[in-house]
Amino acid sequence: MGLRRGPITMEGGTTFHFVDDGIESALAKAVDAANGQDVRLGGGASTVRQYLRAGLVDEMHLAVVPVLLGAGERIFEDGITDFECAESITVGSVAHMRMVKTGSP
C-alpha cells in the first residue's frame, strides 16, 4: 500500500480527507460526515466514471467549456446511458447542465 495522506484544511474551513479503501467506503464516510446534507463528488473523469459505473450518482452538474486541451477523458463511456439533461443554461461560452439519473426525481 502507498503512503497515506493526511487531511488538508483549506481557508474557509473545508477539510479534504483522503480515502484509499474504495469508493464505497469514501462515499459512506462522506454521507456520515454530511449529517443529512448533500454529498458532492469531486475529481476527474476517471473518478466520476467509477461512481457512475457503480450506480452511486443520482444527479450531477457538468460545466462544459469548448476548449481543446488534448485528448481528454470522456465521462459517458462504458455504456453509461441512464442520465438525461434536466436543466441547462449557457453563460458566455460555458454550458452548465444538470444531469439526473433516469427515473430520479
Side-chain angles (χ1 to χ4, degrees):
M1 184 170 291
L3 296 174
R4 293 194 179 261
R5 184 172 186 172
I8 296 175
T9 302
M10 309 299 286
E11 284 185 33
T14 298
T15 302
F16 290 92
H17 297 274
F18 298 88
V19 179
D20 63 0
D21 58 346
I23 63 171
E24 289 85 0
S25 174
L27 181 59
K29 290 173 183 175
V31 167
D32 184 52
N35 292 320
Q37 296 182 29
D38 288 342
V39 172
R40 295 184 179 212
L41 169 66
S46 176
T47 300
V48 173
R49 276 197 318 272
Q50 289 179 60
Y51 282 87
L52 288 171
R53 280 192 304 264
L56 299 173
V57 176
D58 57 355
E59 181 175 318
M60 65 181 133
H61 169 253
L62 299 176
V64 181
V65 182
V67 176
L68 182 60
L69 298 174
E73 291 184 67
R74 296 181 179 164
I75 291 178
F76 296 107
E77 282 191 341
D78 306 324
I80 298 168
T81 60
D82 54 348
F83 280 83
E84 62 187 16
C85 183
E87 182 179 11
S88 77
I89 185 169
T90 302
V91 179
S93 62
V94 180
H96 296 270
M97 295 176 279
R98 185 171 65 91
M99 305 293 290
V100 295
K101 191 169 190 167
T102 306
S104 293

